[in-house]
Amino acid sequence: MGGNVLEANQLGVSRSSAGPSPKTKNPAPFLSKTFDLVEQGDGGPDVEEEYGKKKIVSWNADGTGFIVWSPAEFSELMLPRFFKHNNFSSFIRQLNTYGFKKTSPKQWEFRHEKFQKGCRHMLVEISRKKSDPSVFPAYLKASSEGNNINAQVAMEKDNRLLLVEENENLRKEKLQLEMQIAQFKALEIKLLDCLAQENKVRRLC
């Protein structure tokens, strides 16, 4: 019995020292979808067959940003596949909330230091900026004056969908932590039972 208690104690110490597995942080759904969108537009296996030879969206030359070559086709063909809307202004507003910058006055090129070709793992380091209703990218003002209401409605709807996805991810992470806590409690009860049995044996001896 003493050997069993020693083995159980060693098992408990081993598991306790290891501690719960670190919580995996996931990037925001909007960032993951945007990354997938650019990757597909830049050279997926069926891009030419589906969209023709003309590029709609792609990484820039050095992979540090992406370019929307045709906003109209991007809105019509690409956005609905990854987001539940086809509003280009709403998409750009979302980019702005995560700190993306438009870097060229001649084309729709956007950059973020943590959003780079082949570096999906860096997406978790991008966080949403604190909302400020007065902040609105200057490059969008001219193109959205007649579309403000529709753009705001679409953005709010998209925001709600993204928040639902983020809440679902948090719920799953919470369940995983609760399961780990339950496992540790079960192990604790088992160890206490073993110790109680050992004490009984010692009193009998």
Side-chain angles (χ1 to χ4, degrees), residues 67-82:
I67 304 170
V68 178
W69 298 100
S70 174
E73 291 175 296
F74 179 83
S75 299
E76 180 182 356
L77 302 175
M78 302 292 289
L79 283 181
R81 295 196 59 177
F82 295 87

Side-chain angles (χ1 to χ4, degrees), residues 11 32 58 80 102 107 120 122 124 132 163 172 176 197:
L11 178 60
S32 295
S58 70
K102 186 174 185 290
Q107 59 188 7
R120 182 186 290 272
M122 294 200 304
V124 296
D132 181 350
L163 287 173
K172 290 178 181 177
Q176 290 176 351
Q197 291 295 327

Side-chain angles (χ1 to χ4, degrees), residues 105-176:
K106 297 181 180 180
Q107 59 188 7
W108 294 98
E109 180 176 0
F110 303 93
R111 295 192 187 193
H112 190 292
E113 61 180 358
K114 301 297 184 181
F115 191 93
Q116 299 183 16
K117 185 175 183 179
C119 297
R120 182 186 290 272
H121 62 280
M122 294 200 304
L123 296 181
V124 296
E125 299 178 41
I126 303 176
S127 57
R128 185 194 294 269
K129 296 193 301 184
K130 292 182 179 179
S131 60
D132 181 350
S134 66
V135 174
F136 188 70
Y139 55 80
L140 274 182
K141 289 181 179 177
S143 63
S144 62
E145 287 178 354
N147 240 353
N148 279 340
I149 296 178
N150 291 335
Q152 289 174 1
V153 170
M155 183 183 68
E156 290 173 3
K157 182 178 179 181
D158 199 40
N159 279 337
R160 284 196 297 270
L161 293 171
L162 291 172
L163 287 173
V164 168
E165 291 185 54
E166 291 174 355
N167 286 337
E168 179 64 17
N169 288 335
L170 290 173
R171 187 185 68 82
K172 290 178 181 177
E173 291 172 359
K174 179 184 175 184
L175 289 175
Q176 290 176 351

